[in-house]
Amino acid sequence: MSKKKNKNATSIGQELENLLSEKNMTAEQIARKVQMPERYIKLIIAGKMIPKIGDLVRISKGLGVSSSRLEKSL
């Protein structure tokens, strides 16, 4: 996981935030569902962390959407 902030991190974070809103879920709820730290999810949303592909897949599955919705931001 990379801590550098860039355009991709911001795009992924925005898309994740949009998906959470569409699904009426919070960062805490998705973190619990996919068994990841809430802080990690919040860092992704804030655009401060680029998650690994495997983590994107887990988050996508937890949201019930195709992983391509988040991967397209990479």
Side-chain angles (χ1 to χ4, degrees), residues 22-37:
E22 285 176 25
K23 301 294 181 174
N24 293 314
M25 292 182 78
T26 65
E28 179 183 3
Q29 289 169 324
I30 192 62
R32 197 174 323 122
K33 187 170 186 175
V34 298
Q35 299 180 341
M36 291 182 180

Side-chain angles (χ1 to χ4, degrees), residues 7 9 12 34 44 51 53 63 65 70:
K7 190 172 100 178
I12 292 169
V34 298
I44 296 169
I53 294 292
L63 290 167
V65 299
L70 290 173

Side-chain angles (χ1 to χ4, degrees), residues 4-30:
K4 62 182 174 180
K5 184 172 179 175
N6 63 32
K7 190 172 100 178
N8 289 345
T10 301
S11 296
I12 292 169
Q14 288 172 343
E15 187 61 26
L16 178 53
E17 189 170 35
N18 291 339
L19 286 168
L20 288 171
S21 180
E22 285 176 25
K23 301 294 181 174
N24 293 314
M25 292 182 78
T26 65
E28 179 183 3
Q29 289 169 324
I30 192 62

